[in-house]
Amino acid sequence: MTAQQDAMYMARALQLAKNGRYTTDPNPRVGCVLVRDNEIIGEGWHVRAGQGHAEVEALKSVQDAKGATAYVTLEPCSHHGKTPPCCDALINVGISRVVAAMQDPNPLVSGRGLAKLEAAGIEVICGVLQEDAQVLNRGFIKRMTVGRPFVRSKLAMSLDGRTALASGESKWITSAESRADVQRLRAESSAILTGINTVLADDPALNARVDFDVVQPVRVILDSRLQMPLNAQMANLPGRTLILTCSQDQAKQQSLQHAGFEVHQLANDGNGQLDLHAVMAFLVKQQINEVLVEAGAILNGALLTACLIDELVVYMAPCILGDQGRGLFHLPGVTTMADKKILKLLDVRQVGGDVRLILEPQANPLQFKEFLNVIKTDELSLEDITVEVEAVRQIRHHGR
């Protein structure tokens, strides 16, 4: 096979992997194509956790795969999980060559699958269309390598950057087409995260209302003081609703649990609010790959300040709400131009009558330089430096 042919068949495998975009959580999205004599003889993709992996599904679609090349978008697994190792399945049917888009970031695999295939005499190539494969599973990769989910914040605003009138009224700023696009974003996400103020104001459902098969995202409410109404509509909806709090009020916790919520007490930030880094660590333990934030200016501002937003999806409507309307981010720390938050524009397209912007937060060189100067003056303890270095590492990750 030529490099061009390898890329062509891997592109098909990636297309198959996208069929699992809304259903594979917490597993990665994976596709597989079997090729022999320059002809596709079998295909498959991973549909749902606990069901067959892509390689096994592809092998099921063909009677004889001996001598074929397997194109798979992620390194075949070599360990026993809910299903047997895919490496063994490929070896047992006589696959002669395996082309993987990328190595599995899961420490249980991480190169072991490719090594096992090579030990069995199978030719192995890795890295074909790797960047495309990484984008498809960026949440899974981030959870495995960085220890936190991929966080995307959805925002809807007027042309003058307002998310609502001063009264809080916001239905509707954007078009029906934009709102339908948001439902797709919800369906892609492992969890939808919001703050208690949004719940108290809107009583949202926070579910994906789509016409295709989907694993409904987990609803996550940040409620530091346990203000969650017992009769909130999400208590009666299918799926999980997690209330994360730093309140020690056991009576309130039990009342909410009896109403159908899951309540988890986490660390506070020293100011009576939830520690957002502790929130992300908790979500990783829940096997959450991708988080969609649908919240107001306070929570969005706090997440942006903490370098915990990986991507912003902003729907801008052709309307004006005036300077008394509510803004996108509450950022009291931004007092000079040196404090500004820098974004990189990744994509612009029209959705209905609106414009959708996709942006990525970037490192602010001036803030990074200031941090280095603080370290030099020995004003931070070792523990503080460890925390700050992790924050800088996240900032630098955003900049790539």
Side-chain angles (χ1 to χ4, degrees):
M1 292 286 185
T2 66
Q4 185 176 6
Q5 288 172 318
D6 282 344
M8 179 182 69
Y9 292 124
M10 186 60 74
R12 174 57 183 166
L14 285 164
Q15 185 179 24
L16 292 170
K18 291 176 182 178
N19 290 333
R21 184 186 295 273
Y22 309 108
T23 58
T24 63
D25 266 345
N27 289 354
R29 300 138 182 167
V30 184
C32 179
V33 173
L34 302 176
V35 177
R36 187 169 55 205
D37 299 328
N38 205 25
E39 180 181 347
I40 294 177
I41 61 172
E43 295 182 335
W45 66 90
H46 183 46
V47 177
R48 197 176 295 266
Q51 297 182 11
H53 287 189
E55 302 92 323
V56 173
E57 294 302 310
L59 291 172
K60 285 180 182 178
S61 71
V62 61
Q63 290 185 340
D64 178 20
K66 187 174 182 179
T69 295
Y71 292 87
V72 60
T73 59
L74 188 68
E75 174 186 3
C77 65
S78 56
H79 67 290
H80 285 270
K82 292 183 179 180
T83 58
C86 293
C87 282
D88 293 353
L90 295 172
I91 293 169
N92 292 339
V93 300
I95 291 291
S96 63
R97 183 169 178 260
V98 172
V99 180
M102 61 174 289
Q103 186 172 300
D104 193 332
N106 186 342
L108 295 174
V109 184
S110 194
R112 294 181 180 86
L114 299 178
K116 187 172 185 178
L117 293 169
E118 287 182 325
I122 296 174
E123 180 187 354
V124 172
I125 295 176
C126 186
V128 176
L129 300 188
Q130 179 169 293
E131 289 186 6
D132 298 271
Q134 289 172 335
V135 169
L136 185 61
N137 285 308
R138 55 191 180 177
F140 177 78
I141 294 169
K142 191 142 202 169
R143 176 164 69 88
M144 290 294 169
T145 59
V146 180
R148 77 167 179 85
F150 183 90
V151 179
R152 169 197 281 160
S153 180
K154 182 275 297 182
L155 298 152
M157 70 177 191
S158 61
L159 186 62
D160 54 342
R162 304 297 170 180
T163 64
L165 296 173
S167 65
E169 182 183 353
S170 62
K171 294 183 179 179
W172 294 105
I173 294 176
T174 54
S175 65
E177 292 86 352
S178 288
R179 298 196 296 275
D181 197 54
V182 170
Q183 296 302 322
R184 179 188 60 78
L185 292 181
R186 288 183 175 186
E188 284 185 13
S189 304
S190 315
I192 302 174
L193 183 147
T194 195
I196 186 60
N197 290 338
T198 297
V199 175
L200 295 175
D202 301 334
D203 190 22
L206 298 185
N207 57 359
R209 297 183 287 278
V210 293
D211 58 1
F212 48 79
D213 188 26
V214 61
V215 174
Q216 284 291 337
V218 176
R219 294 175 288 269
V220 181
I221 315 301
L222 304 191
D223 184 6
S224 296
R225 294 187 293 276
L226 290 180
Q227 299 172 272
M228 186 73 173
L230 296 176
N231 61 349
Q233 69 160 318
M234 62 183 72
N236 300 313
L237 295 175
R240 301 172 67 197
T241 301
L242 312 184
I243 298 177
L244 308 186
T245 187
C246 51
S247 170
Q248 300 182 20
D249 191 324
Q250 295 298 317
K252 283 186 178 180
Q253 290 187 25
Q254 291 176 7
S255 295
L256 289 166
Q257 289 168 346
H258 290 154
F261 300 105
E262 297 180 35
V263 182
H264 300 271
Q265 185 177 327
L266 305 180
N268 68 62
D269 63 358
N271 296 308
Q273 301 296 317
L274 278 161
D275 182 320
L276 294 177
H277 291 279
V279 168
M280 294 302 162
F282 171 83
L283 294 179
V284 164
K285 292 179 181 178
Q286 299 294 309
Q287 296 188 306
I288 299 295
N289 292 331
E290 298 183 25
V291 174
L292 179 65
V293 177
E294 296 194 34
I298 294 176
L299 180 53
N300 270 302
L303 289 167
L304 188 63
T305 299
C307 301
L308 291 175
I309 295 180
D310 297 297
E311 184 176 272
L312 296 165
V313 182
V314 182
Y315 297 87
M316 184 173 65
C319 65
I320 295 173
L321 298 183
D323 63 356
Q324 299 303 305
R326 300 185 180 183
L328 294 169
F329 298 95
H330 177 65
L331 297 170
V334 177
T335 58
T336 70
M337 289 302 289
D339 302 322
K340 66 184 178 184
K341 304 299 180 182
I342 300 172
L343 307 174
K344 178 182 179 181
L345 185 60
L346 302 179
D347 183 73
V348 182
R349 66 185 59 199
Q350 185 170 349
V351 179
D354 308 320
V355 174
R356 188 187 71 188
L357 310 172
I358 299 180
L359 307 110
E360 181 182 64
Q362 301 290 291
N364 187 322
L366 293 176
Q367 293 172 1
F368 183 64
K369 183 178 180 180
E370 180 182 349
F371 162 68
L372 293 178
N373 289 335
V374 170
I375 289 181
K376 289 177 182 177
T377 61
D378 295 324
E379 294 179 9
L380 295 178
S381 68
L382 180 59
E383 182 179 358
D384 290 335
I385 291 174
T386 302
V387 171
E388 294 297 331
V389 166
E390 173 61 20
V392 169
R393 186 169 68 88
Q394 294 295 338
I395 292 173
R396 294 182 65 191
H397 175 77
H398 288 311
R400 289 199 292 268

